[in-house]
Amino acid sequence: MELFWLEHKKLWQRGSVKISVLLCFVYIVIFGSILSFQWFSFGSSNDHTSAFGNYFDGYSQIRKCQEYSLEYGGSLTDETLQQMVRDYQRIGEAGMEAELEKTDQSIINGWLGTLYPELRDESIYQTMTSYVDTKKLTGFYERRQQAIETFLENSGQTGAEREYLLSMEGKVEKPFRYEWVEGWSQILGSTVAEMGIVIALFLAIVLSGLFAGEWHNNTSSLVLTTKNGWEKIAVAKIFTGLLFALELFAVLSIGSIGAQLFFLGTAGWDMPIQAIKLIAIAPMNMLQAEIYEYAFTLLGAIGFAGIVMLISAAVKNNVQALLLSLAVVYGPMMIDQYLPYGAQMALDLLPFVGSGADIFRTNTFHFFGRIIWSPYLLLVVPALIGVVCMPVAVMRWARRMRA
């Protein structure tokens, strides 16, 4: 245990580690959460002196949006949808642009485009909510069901796979609860969903030198002369890297959740995720989806840390270890569009290559005749990869130390 804490202290004493954690915190918590809520995404618009065109008033603007949505709170029905669109049209006709900013107009417009495509008028260069005949907005849930079935058919998801997905969708509670959706769309579609790809960069920077750094600093021979020997030191390094991954995740998640609670509170946590994407089939509410995405990021961090430490133990050059580690995540993104669909799905199982936002999709894997919804495997497989890599890293480093 003493050796482990010495290695942990040694890691945190490196200036590059402190800078990496600080930069990661600034990018994800300060810019991605606090400033995004207060300025970039939810500040009221038309500030021509701002680089983003928004005022620095996100907190009050979010409260206004949440209060406005309560006028339609409760169950989402055909009548509720018609009333929302009528109100949007009335506000737009009156030229009250500031009032429209309080609405879920972009979300509702997406609903209309998905469920009522025949009402779209290509000759009118405005959103559907501004001109659609509200009397024709009927059969919301029937149309949604048809949209899901059409999507599955167009995706080639038929037979047993179709039945599997539709049985999952059948567990979604209807009618939907409705409150202000845009805030949750930002959290689940961007803030949490994209956290892993940033964490990967800084984990690679910090952990790529964990083993390779002994060669770079010419301390490998010294390790062999210590009373602990290579094996105990290697195990201590593995647990040090693992703990660092958990510490980095904890700092970022606590900061992001704190900002979320401050700006958005807990309003709307029990809305179904279908309010964000209508044809999603997962029977999840917003809170459950957020827990899943944080779990995806945590387990992905564990998996990626294991891979990076294995690469670090396998090479003797810090730069080479860093580049190979980054290639594990960013390489598949570069070549993804050129690969067959099956290969793309397989690469998604690598840590941070897939996305926590898969809960909004209908992707599945087929194993020995069994159909498995992709988010289940995306949660488990990356962590298993990392766990397998860790003992291999110890053995690989041992082989190099003996050479």
Side-chain angles (χ1 to χ4, degrees):
M1 183 60 71
E2 181 181 0
L3 182 60
F4 161 69
W5 288 116
L6 287 174
E7 284 290 338
H8 184 260
K9 181 179 179 181
K10 175 183 173 182
L11 179 72
W12 275 100
Q13 285 177 338
R14 287 161 46 188
S16 60
V17 174
K18 297 175 183 177
I19 293 173
S20 294
V21 173
L22 177 61
L23 289 176
C24 195
F25 182 85
V26 169
Y27 185 85
I28 290 179
V29 178
I30 303 300
F31 285 93
S33 293
I34 296 175
L35 290 180
S36 180
F37 291 138
Q38 180 65 15
W39 185 18
F40 308 154
S41 300
F42 298 114
S44 56
S45 63
N46 295 326
D47 180 5
H48 302 294
T49 66
S50 165
F52 297 94
N54 293 341
Y55 289 98
F56 199 77
D57 61 352
Y59 181 86
S60 59
Q61 189 68 12
I62 288 171
R63 292 294 176 275
K64 293 176 182 177
C65 293
Q66 291 175 330
E67 291 173 5
Y68 181 85
S69 70
L70 294 179
E71 296 181 16
Y72 314 102
S75 298
L76 178 62
T77 63
D78 289 350
E79 291 73 21
T80 305
L81 178 61
Q82 292 169 2
Q83 184 60 49
M84 282 193 286
V85 176
R86 277 198 296 269
D87 288 347
Y88 295 173
Q89 292 175 351
R90 174 181 54 79
I91 293 171
E93 291 169 359
M96 297 184 292
E97 295 298 326
E99 289 296 307
L100 275 180
E101 289 187 17
K102 298 189 301 185
T103 72
D104 263 326
Q105 183 177 220
S106 62
I107 296 290
I108 306 304
N109 193 66
W111 293 359
L112 300 185
T114 300
L115 302 187
Y116 306 93
E118 75 280 3
L119 301 182
R120 182 183 288 110
D121 189 340
E122 300 294 347
S123 66
I124 301 178
Y125 298 100
Q126 294 177 307
T127 60
M128 288 184 68
T129 52
S130 64
Y131 64 79
V132 72
D133 184 354
T134 58
K135 295 180 181 178
K136 297 181 179 180
L137 301 180
T138 58
F140 182 89
Y141 294 101
E142 292 80 4
R143 283 175 172 265
R144 174 182 171 273
Q145 185 68 26
Q146 183 59 49
I148 293 173
E149 293 179 5
T150 300
F151 176 81
L152 294 179
E153 182 178 352
N154 293 338
S155 302
Q157 294 175 296
T158 58
E161 184 177 11
R162 175 181 181 276
E163 295 305 316
Y164 172 83
L165 294 170
L166 288 180
S167 67
M168 183 181 297
E169 191 283 328
K171 299 176 183 177
V172 177
E173 292 187 11
K174 307 176 189 69
F176 300 159
R177 268 191 43 74
Y178 172 76
E179 288 188 40
W180 185 55
V181 178
E182 192 65 41
W184 283 102
S185 179
Q186 169 84 5
I187 292 169
L188 299 180
S190 178
T191 304
V192 186
E194 297 177 3
M195 182 183 293
I197 202 65
V198 180
I199 290 178
L201 170 62
F202 293 99
L203 279 180
I205 292 172
V206 172
L207 300 183
S208 60
L210 196 63
F211 289 98
E214 299 292 354
W215 300 96
H216 179 78
N217 299 325
N218 294 318
T219 58
S220 57
S221 58
L222 180 61
V223 170
L224 292 175
T225 64
T226 64
K227 65 178 181 178
N228 295 297
W230 64 265
E231 185 174 5
K232 290 183 179 180
I233 292 178
V235 172
K237 286 181 177 293
I238 290 293
F239 281 105
T240 295
L242 181 59
L243 179 59
F244 175 79
L246 297 177
E247 289 171 331
L248 181 61
F249 170 80
V251 168
L252 300 176
S253 59
I254 290 173
S256 296
I257 293 172
Q260 175 187 336
L261 291 175
F262 177 78
F263 285 98
L264 273 71
T266 60
W269 69 268
D270 54 348
M271 282 190 297
I273 63 172
Q274 285 71 23
I276 297 175
K277 186 174 182 179
L278 280 179
I279 61 173
I281 49 89
M284 289 183 175
N285 61 35
M286 301 297 185
L287 178 60
Q288 291 168 333
E290 184 174 11
I291 291 172
Y292 173 89
E293 290 193 357
Y294 272 114
F296 170 87
T297 304
L298 171 61
L299 295 173
I302 293 172
F304 186 66
I307 292 176
V308 175
M309 288 188 285
L310 174 57
I311 293 173
S312 180
V315 302
K316 295 184 179 182
N317 184 286
N318 281 0
V319 175
Q320 184 181 1
L322 174 59
L323 293 177
L324 289 173
S325 299
L326 294 175
V328 171
V329 172
Y330 300 103
M333 297 180 183
M334 296 171 60
I335 64 175
D336 182 75
Q337 60 181 320
Y338 306 107
L339 298 176
Y341 180 71
Q344 295 177 24
M345 292 286 290
L347 287 176
D348 281 348
L349 295 176
L350 292 174
F352 292 141
V353 175
S355 171
D358 253 37
I359 54 175
F360 292 99
R361 304 179 183 123
T362 60
N363 296 335
T364 59
F365 288 89
H366 296 255
F367 288 108
F368 305 106
R370 293 184 61 86
I371 301 170
I372 304 176
W373 187 44
S374 66
Y376 295 146
L377 292 182
L378 293 181
L379 198 66
V380 176
V381 173
L384 289 178
I385 291 174
V387 170
V388 170
C389 285
M390 292 176 194
V392 178
V394 174
M395 293 185 289
R396 183 68 178 175
W397 196 56
R399 192 175 300 127
R400 282 191 168 274
M401 293 296 286
R402 288 168 177 163

